[in-house]
Every structure is written in C-alpha cells, then in structure tokens.
Amino acid sequence: MSINTSTKLSRRSLLKGATSLGVFSAFAPALLHAGAAHAATSGEVLSGSHWGAFYGTVEDGVWTKIRPWEQDPHPSEMLEGVMDSVYSPSRIKYPMVRKAYLEGGAGANPEGRGNEEFVRVSWDQALELVTNELKRVSDTYGPTGVYAGSYGWKSSGKLHNCQNLLRRALNVGLEGKFVNSSGDYSTGASQIIMPHVMGTLEVYEQQTVWPVLIESTDVLVFWAADPVKTNQIGWTVADHDTYPYYEEFRKTGKKVIVIDPIRTETAKFFDAEWIPIRPHTDVAMMLGIAHELYAQGLHDADFLDEYTAGFEDFLPYLTGESDGVAKTPEWAAEICEVPAEQIKELAALFASNRTMLGSGWSIQRQHHGEQSHWMLVTLASMLGQIGLPGGGFGLSYHYANGGAPSADSVVLPGISDGGAAVEGAAWLTQAGAASIPVSRIVEMLERPGEEFDFNGTRTTFPEVKMVYWTGGNPFSHQQDRNRMVEAWQKLETVVVQDFQWTATARFADIVLPATTSYERNDIEHIGDYSLKAILGMKKIVDPVFESRTDFDIFTEIATRLGAGDAFTEGKDEMGWIQGFYEDAAKQGPGKGIDVPSFDEFWDAGVVVFDIPESSKQFVRYADYRDDPLLEPLGTPTGKIEIFSRNIEKMGYDDCGPHPTWYEPEERLGGNAPYPLHIDSAHPQFRLHSQLCGTVTREKYVVGGREPCMINTQDAAARGIADGDTVRVFNDRGQVLVGAIVSDDIRPNVIRIFEGGWYDPVNGGELGSLDAYGDVNCLTVGRGTSSLAQGNCGHTGMAEVEKYTGELPEVNVFNAPAEG
Ligand code: PGD
Ligand code: PGD
C-alpha cells in the first residue's frame, strides 16, 4: 500500500468524522475508561462491523435503531440484521453442555452430536469442564491432542479477536501445545501459488486505484468477480469507498466484460457484456486467448523478455509441441463453451486496448485452483500491460474495496496470539504437523499419522482428540458435510464459543455464549485498503443473558490454567484498546500526521485521515516496470515466473512447473456424475453464514428455505416452477431449497449461496436431508492440489427435482431443545 508521509494533518481535520459530536455527549462519561463496564441506557452510539460503521440508538438499555455513519458512501442493506443479531432467537443465552457428555464425560455418545438436547450449566462449571479437559487431553495425548486452528470471520476489532485470544490462552497456559492451521478458505490456492509467481500474496494487496482505471482503462474485465456484491463487506470495518467510483466508471461508457456463469450484480450495474462461461473451465479459455495472441503475434515479446521468466518453457505447452495438443481457441471452445470466434475477438480486443483483468477468487476455490490465477498472470504478461496505468491484472478488486485510494494513516496493532514464547519448541512437530492447511481438517481427523504434501513439504496428520472452535462456523464453511459429520464423531470433546446456535454449536459438547461485538468495546480501522479512519467500536448495549466477552472468557481460562497474568499483561479491555491506539499514534510524527490523544479520539468516536492526491494515482507494479533491477519481485528470479523451478523441484503430478489445464475431479462437460454444476458463490445478503439467523433472511428465502437459482430451460425440463421447493442431491448429500427460475444463470448450472445454515432433519445421521439449504452438503471435500491444499467449494455436480414429499420444518433458527 502506498503511504505518503509528506502531508501534515491537523487534529481538527482528523476528527472531522465525528460531525455530530453532540450525539456522544450523553455517552461520553459512560463509555470512557471507567464506564467500560456498562453501556448507557439511552442515546446514540457510533460503532462498526464487517458491514460498515453505524450509529445504534438505545432506548432504556435496548438497541432499537441503526443508521449508517454519514461518511459511508454506500451503506450496506444488511445493517438491520446486524442489530438483530443481538436479539435473534438463535442467540446462545447460557453456557450449555450436551446431555450425554455432561453425564458420561469425554467421548460419550459422539453420534448424539447434532441431535441431543443441551443442559444449562453455570459459567463456573462450564469453565472448569473446559480447562480440565484441555489439561487432560494435553497430558494424555501430548502436544497435538488439542486443535485450536479455529478459523473464520469472527467480528472486526483488534482486541476481541477470539481466535488469537484462544491461541494466546493456550500458548501461555498450555505451553503452546495445540495444533494450529495455516492459510484461509478465501484464497487457499492463490495465496500459495502467487508467492512463487509474483513474489507476494497478491490477493490481499492494493490494486491500481479506481481513479486510474476511470482515467486510463479501456476494457475492464471482471473474471469470476462480483465486486458490487462482495465489496459490501470488509475484514476490518467496511468503508465502501469504491462504490462512487463504479458510478463514475459507468458514466464513461467504457467497455465492461463479465465472465461468469451468472449475470451478476456487477454485470447488471455496468450493463456489461456477459460471457456465460461453462464453470470450472476458465484456464482453458485463458489458454485459448493466449494461443490466439501468440498465433497472431499480438503478444508483447519485449515485456515477456524483460519482466518474466520461463515463457519459452511454457510456449511448447501452449502450442502443443510438448503434448500434441495446441491450446487453440477451437480447443478451448470445446471445453469452456465460449465460441472460438469470441475467444479470438477477445484476444484482439485485449491486445489493442488498455485492459484490466480483474479476477475474483471462486475460480481458485476449485480442484486445481492454483492454475487459474497463474494463467491469468501469464495472459496479462503476454498482453504486456502490467505496471501501466489501468492495465494488467488485479486479484483484489472485489475484496474489501480493493482499489480505493489509501489514506495517510497510522496502523493499529492487535492482540497477539502470544506464540513467540513457544515458537520452535522441539516437541511441536514430534507428534505430527503442528499446523495443517486450514481446509484439511476432515482429512486430519480421518487419517491421523498419514502423510500429506503441502507446498514442498511432507508431514503427517496429527491425532487430534479435542477441538476448540471460536469465531468460525466449520459446519457451514467446510465442504462435504456428511463426511465431516462422520469424522467429527472421532473427537472426544468439542468446545464451541459463539453468540449464536450455528450448526457447529449444535455439534459441540460444551457451548460458551460469547457477546456480539456490539456488547463490548473495541477498536478497528475503517477500510482495509483505504485505512481511512480509526473507529472506536463502542459498546452499544450491555451483554444480553449470560454472554461474556471473548477477552473475559479466555482470561478466565488462562487464569484457571495458571497463566492469567501472562494472558492479560495486567490490562483490562479499555487498557488494551488505549494501548493499541497509542502504539499506532507513535507512527504519527514519522509520517507527518498529528494524531489526537486517546481521550480526544474516544470522545469523538472516530479519527478520519486524509487521502492524498498521490494515492489516487497509485499503479500496481509501476515501480517494477520502471526499474526491474532496482525493484525486483520477491521471486527466485526477481521476475514474474511463468515457469517456476521451485515448483518443478517439488515434482507434483497435480501441479506442474507452468500453468496447465488439468481436468478436475468433476465438471460440467467433463467427468460429470450429475447434470448440473453447483455454483456456491458468496451470498448477496449475508456474510457467509452470519446474519442467516436474523431478520435479513426474509430478504431472500423462498418458501422459508435458502434460494437455488436455476435456468429456465433446466427448470422446465424438470417441471419446476419459480417458488417450488426442490431437492438438490448427489452422492454426498441432499438439501431442500426454494427454486428461483431465471435466465440470469446459464443452463446446466445452479446457484446455492454458501453459508446457509445446516439443518439436518435427523441430526447426526449420515446423509440426512438438510431442511434449510447448506450447499456444502453437496460440494467436494478434497484439496486443490499437493501444492496449496486449498478448499474446492466451487467443485461439484448435482441433480435437482421438485420435492413432493412432506415438507420438514426448518428448525435451525431457534435454540436446540434443553434437557
Ligand atoms: P462465518 O459465517 O463468517 O463463516 O466461513 P466462516 O466460518 O468464516 O462464521 C463466523 C462465525 O463466527 C459465526 O458463527 C459468528 O457467529 C461467529 N462470530 C462472529 N463474531 C464473533 C465473536 O466476536 N466472537 C465469537 N466467539 N464468535 C463470533 C467462511 C468460509 O467459508 C470462507 S471465508 C470462504 S471464502 C469459503 N467460501 C466458500 C464458498 O465460496 N463455497 C463453498 N461451497 N464453501 C465455502 N466455504 C468457505
Ligand atoms: P464468489 O461470490 O464466491 O466471490 O469473493 P469471490 O470472488 O470468491 O464468486 C465470485 C463469482 O465467481 C460469482 O459471481 C460466481 O458466479 C463466479 N463463479 C463461480 N464459479 C465460476 C467459474 O468456474 N468460472 C467463472 N468464470 N466464474 C465463476 C469472495 C469474498 O467476498 C470473500 S472470500 C469473502 S470472505 C467475503 N464474503 C462475502 C460474503 O459472504 N457476502 C458478501 N455479500 N460479500 C462478501 N465479500 C467477500
């Protein structure tokens, strides 16, 4: 990210975000340090979330209204659900223990998970159970008995980062004896391949900014990317700063192309040319364009020569010299169902115009997902526009408002996982991997002691007996649900800490009720890429029922493990928040930014930073293009690696040394065990599974179930009408969903958004019908390849039929039965 240090900013301008300071006056005494224990009973509070910054109105201690922060240029339609998440019927009210577990102890009736009733216990009893079990499992099974690689989209906030807090408690209290995870679900394949190719993660980095695209781009391609939908969300607090630029770009009338099986929100917004590609075949289409560029001499040989390595080793594959198959547009058309003529036209269009290839991430959450972004980079290299204003490629235009110009700001630290003390301890790897690629958790449970490959290493899966999950929903995010239900039964103990009764909580033994982030204080940036403000995420209401903050819960656990002081370092909630702010403020003088004092900031609620003109001209890889010798990439050759000697040395048969078209395990038009491809894109009105338990659900359910988009022809062939309840099934599972019949989806593809709550009619029973619509009952659970071992959420085929049986009730949005 480009940070200009020359601008001196005044306090007045920094605090300008708090335009209605009056609204805080009622709260200031209550929310400042001493008052952190209680929220005020009436008034309006500024706070924030993944969906953006907002004001919450409180009346008599109850949160009654929500309105967006006035500096949010495109507030999310999901804010109402954010408020409702505090009060929804799916809220976990008390510490609960599964009945058989409470009576029989660890390992009792694991098949009962997901079905059995829960018993309310006191906090004291619950915490005692958890800490005793952590000690028992660790003592009995050694350093890899406990899994704390807990992954997921916990709430924003630098302190109540529940996953770091969990690992911190175990690092200080259990000498770090637990199995961790690496990587994430979003970019599992790309974040491993890109460092080999570009020398950086690429997926989480600033893009050539939108003002430059508006000025210089002629052709804007969204390849499997739907930014109008996905930029509603930020990992920190969403700024939505790119949306006004979309309007401006649209006004230019320049060409926008969307390559996607679905006519997306983005396609509709830009009135784009829609290329309804056959899913899972993007690499073939890219190869077809690349072949045409080469055949017509439209490729930029000088760029390839100066800035890339290994094109000459890739070329024999492209031309077919090495394998007898020329990757011509005709060859590609057979696979991707985009006509060869159109592929040729695209090659000519891209080469003769300043073209930005913006790609989303679904195409790397597929079997062999490493290849798609590698091939996209290769294509962009052949076009030779990387590092020029408005040209090249971008892997983060759709994520957290990538491409929004960055402010001159200071950067907050966050709570650490306290791991430094145990890093490198000899015992960490003696009992198998101390960390697994995050989406390989089911394999880990299925195959302890067996070897697995990952990015050039080979190690063994550890034997885990206890899982502690917080801030994530694996019974939503993990593929192949029934396989997971079975693997889960091998565990002796499962602890889940969440604020809502997700399927994961229902499949736990001990359930601890956390607060939402609106019932505690925290601090966060607004804008992942713009870093445009620091926001006090103030407590809006006091914790409901018996919920406690994540920091409190883990302080208790660390204390019971004998390490409370090491955990808290003597600081309470407000002490930590102030510390983070003051650490960030120390960067101010060096950057020429005059940062207000903590008290001034907390009173105002927000500090907004200026966005300098230089940020509005940022061009990714301009430095590299200007001087490849002085600004080399972080790859072994210092260049873009179209051929990677490092990957070649790994010798994987499922990820070779240059981008390659590999047939996936399942695909439309290839090995197709069922007729319809499942597109499990990210939801329009949810963040994964979050808000599914709230009023927001009313915006999209069909007959009370998750929607399933199906093409008009496919629906007609099956006698399905819009609004019908349908059963979607394959060999892995079956779900009930509500049909949306539409021509906004290409034939032979259905779309069920990821994140619908798993609601088995017979909980715990393998293969049970899911009454609500968790798409991961149907998806493939394998890793992308030996290289990245990412997830394959976008791989899978199914069949759909009109459901004529008796309709089971949807029960998952209420608390489970109490015993
Ligand atoms: P969320 O629904 O965000 O899903 O998977 P992830 O597990 O992140 O779950 C977050 C959980 O944390 C919720 O249950 C929420 O209540 C809880 N939580 C939130 N805040 C707090 C807090 O402050 N404290 C505590 N204790 N809990 C909290 C998402 C994952 O799904 C991701 S990132 C991706 S990219 C994948 N995408 C796909 C896909 O495209 N297709 C398929 N088929 N599958 C996918 N799975 C992946
Ligand atoms: P998806 O919606 O899964 O989003 O960003 P990501 O880009 O992964 O997929 C984008 C598009 O790819 C969809 O329109 C889908 O139809 C298309 N697609 C699927 N398969 C193929 C294919 O084989 N070929 C082609 N060409 N297109 C295909 C997800 C990102 O969004 C992530 S990782 C997270 S964690 C956040 N999650 C959410 C969220 O859950 N909800 C919203 N509203 N916003 C989010 N933003 C972030």
Side-chain angles (χ1 to χ4, degrees), residues 78 151 153 185-187 223-226 229-233 259-262 264 277-282 359-366 398-400 677 679-689 751 753-754 794:
M78 292 180 257
Y151 166 86
W153 270 65
Y185 278 71
S186 305
T187 62
W223 204 311
D226 192 2
K229 174 187 74 177
T230 50
N231 278 333
Q232 296 178 89
I233 302 295
I259 305 174
D260 201 298
I262 287 155
T264 57
I277 188 172
R278 187 187 258 164
H280 228 312
T281 65
D282 300 84
S359 176
W361 297 339
S362 57
I363 50 174
Q364 52 84 58
R365 289 198 298 279
Q366 290 181 332
H398 67 292
Y399 178 70
H677 170 89
D679 180 321
S680 61
H682 283 227
Q684 165 76 358
F685 291 122
R686 223 171 31 218
L687 168 57
H688 313 302
S689 73
R751 183 188 71 191
F753 287 131
E754 56 103 22
H794 280 266

Side-chain angles (χ1 to χ4, degrees), residues 225-249:
D226 192 2
V228 172
K229 174 187 74 177
T230 50
N231 278 333
Q232 296 178 89
I233 302 295
W235 173 249
T236 59
V237 173
D239 55 357
H240 304 133
D241 273 8
T242 53
Y243 285 83
Y245 292 120
Y246 303 160
E247 300 272 359
E248 272 188 62
F249 194 94

Side-chain angles (χ1 to χ4, degrees), residues 153 155 365 471 473 477 497-498 500 520 550 689-690 776:
W153 270 65
S155 297
R365 289 198 298 279
N473 190 2
H477 70 223
Q497 182 170 317
D498 203 308
Q500 46 181 352
R520 63 196 186 207
D550 291 303
S689 73
Q690 294 189 62
N776 279 324

Side-chain angles (χ1 to χ4, degrees), residues 187-203 364 368-378 395 454-455 635-636 641-644 646-648 650 652 654-660 662 784-785 787-790:
T187 62
S190 204
Q191 65 174 262
I192 298 298
I193 188 92
M194 276 301 120
H196 292 288
V197 178
M198 297 302 300
T200 69
L201 283 184
E202 207 57 48
V203 284
Q364 52 84 58
H368 299 298
E370 295 83 359
Q371 306 303 317
S372 29
H373 284 171
W374 198 357
M375 188 56 217
L376 189 89
V377 170
T378 302
L395 303 186
F454 173 56
N455 201 14
T635 55
E641 299 216 345
I642 294 174
F643 191 99
S644 164
N646 275 352
I647 295 180
E648 183 182 38
M650 295 177 197
Y652 296 142
D654 54 359
C655 185
H658 60 70
T660 302
Y662 293 99
T784 50
S785 83
L787 184 90
Q789 297 285 10

